[in-house]
Amino acid sequence: MNRLQLATLISWAGDTGLEGRKCLQKVVFFLQQAGCPLDCQYRLHYFGPYSRDVADACDEMVAAGLVVETGGPRNGAMQYDYSLKPAVRVVLEQSPDPQLQPFETLGKELLNESLWSLELGSTILFFHGQISDWSEAFAKACQFKKVDTTNESSQYALALAQRVSGQAVCQ
């Protein structure tokens, strides 16, 4: 994931910015599973798929002064939020990333999902990538997250994972 890709993704969150590192991690994972060329390596973490590549790209953008980070331990909050500096927004308007443009609609939809749906849905999709069976992946993810498979929010997360995996964009 490069700086332009991360800035593009944050811009999709609008003027209010992107809420939380977990959200960022899960949206990038979903987009990548849908065929978006973000090239991030993921491993399973307690909160679902996690990529050091995403965390590093975000930290680099903050350190470079291109992204504003609010929240976190310094402010007594557990969540970090991200927004673009106005100058970065102008650059994006002039030079959008052509590789990410086909994924903008999906990206914006994912950014509007609940954090729980993203967390469980990405975990289901992670397991599906390992075992290629939706029923087994769903059961494993629910067991891993300690949630009931019959729960309405669990069923919704499964549908989200299946929908995103079926949206692979041909390049």
Side-chain angles (χ1 to χ4, degrees):
M1 168 174 254
N2 63 42
R3 289 180 176 185
L4 179 59
Q5 291 171 328
L6 179 59
T8 299
L9 201 149
I10 293 172
S11 76
W12 293 345
D15 293 336
T16 58
L18 193 144
E19 295 182 19
R21 289 183 181 200
K22 275 199 287 185
C23 176
L24 175 63
Q25 287 279 346
K26 304 325 170 215
V27 168
V28 171
F29 180 79
F30 270 119
L31 288 171
Q32 194 166 282
Q33 295 301 304
C36 190
L38 296 170
D39 197 31
C40 298
Q41 299 299 313
Y42 275 86
R43 64 180 175 81
L44 189 58
H45 181 272
Y46 176 77
F47 295 112
Y50 173 82
S51 173
R52 185 78 238 163
D53 300 327
V54 174
D56 288 346
C58 194
D59 290 344
E60 288 172 18
M61 293 283 284
V62 170
L66 301 170
V67 170
V68 177
E69 178 182 70
T70 55
R74 292 184 312 274
N75 300 332
M78 292 303 294
Q79 177 172 293
Y80 291 88
D81 297 329
Y82 300 95
S83 59
L84 294 177
K85 295 266 181 117
V88 176
R89 196 171 290 282
V90 169
V91 169
L92 282 176
E93 290 169 4
Q94 295 171 351
S95 304
D97 186 331
Q99 289 186 311
L100 265 61
Q101 285 180 320
F103 298 92
E104 183 174 1
T105 299
L106 176 60
K108 287 180 176 180
E109 288 173 11
L110 290 167
L111 287 166
N112 285 312
E113 288 289 344
S114 73
L115 184 55
W116 175 247
S117 295
L118 292 173
E119 186 176 325
L120 181 56
S122 64
T123 305
I124 295 166
L125 198 50
F126 184 89
F127 280 115
H128 184 261
Q130 294 180 332
I131 54 183
S132 298
D133 178 270
W134 284 112
S135 295
E136 278 187 60
F138 181 54
K140 279 189 91 155
C142 287
Q143 180 181 16
F144 180 78
K145 301 299 290 175
K146 297 177 176 50
V147 295
D148 188 350
T149 58
T150 62
N151 185 304
E152 188 176 321
S153 62
S154 299
Q155 294 291 323
Y156 180 84
L158 172 62
L160 176 64
Q162 291 172 323
R163 181 174 60 84
V164 170
S165 72
Q167 288 193 7
V169 175
C170 298
Q171 300 286 323

